[in-house]
Amino acid sequence: MAQIEITLPNDKQAQFERFAEEEFLNEERAVEELLTAGLDAYRDVADREETEVERSPFAAGAEEEYGRRGEL
């Protein structure tokens, strides 16, 4: 398993430690689950934004002129 070192401001570290103690088995598990949840949420937002861009009136004109993505 990869190891990552981060630096947090003291108030965020204390907040994380309290949260990890109350909600998770240990800090390692808290980091893993929170990071996974954050990455999934980011992916959902990125996918939604891409869909919105593809549906925009500008995308339709670009598709007509240049073809759909991957057909260039």
Side-chain angles (χ1 to χ4, degrees):
M1 182 181 296
Q3 291 193 357
I4 299 171
E5 184 176 320
I6 62 168
T7 303
L8 297 172
N10 291 338
D11 62 322
K12 296 295 179 198
Q13 180 180 355
Q15 184 180 12
F16 171 75
E17 287 173 351
R18 280 192 306 275
F19 185 66
E21 187 176 298
E22 294 170 4
E23 300 292 329
F24 298 94
L25 296 174
N26 56 44
E27 287 184 10
E28 182 178 318
R29 186 64 182 219
V31 169
E32 181 181 344
E33 290 188 28
L34 291 170
L35 185 57
T36 299
L39 291 171
D40 289 345
Y42 180 80
R43 185 178 307 118
D44 290 345
V45 169
D47 289 347
R48 209 171 321 125
E49 287 176 358
E50 184 174 309
T51 301
E52 290 172 6
V53 169
E54 289 174 355
R55 291 182 183 162
S56 77
F58 300 108
E63 286 178 1
E64 289 173 10
E65 187 168 346
Y66 301 108
R68 289 195 173 274
R69 191 179 299 170
E71 296 178 359
L72 298 178

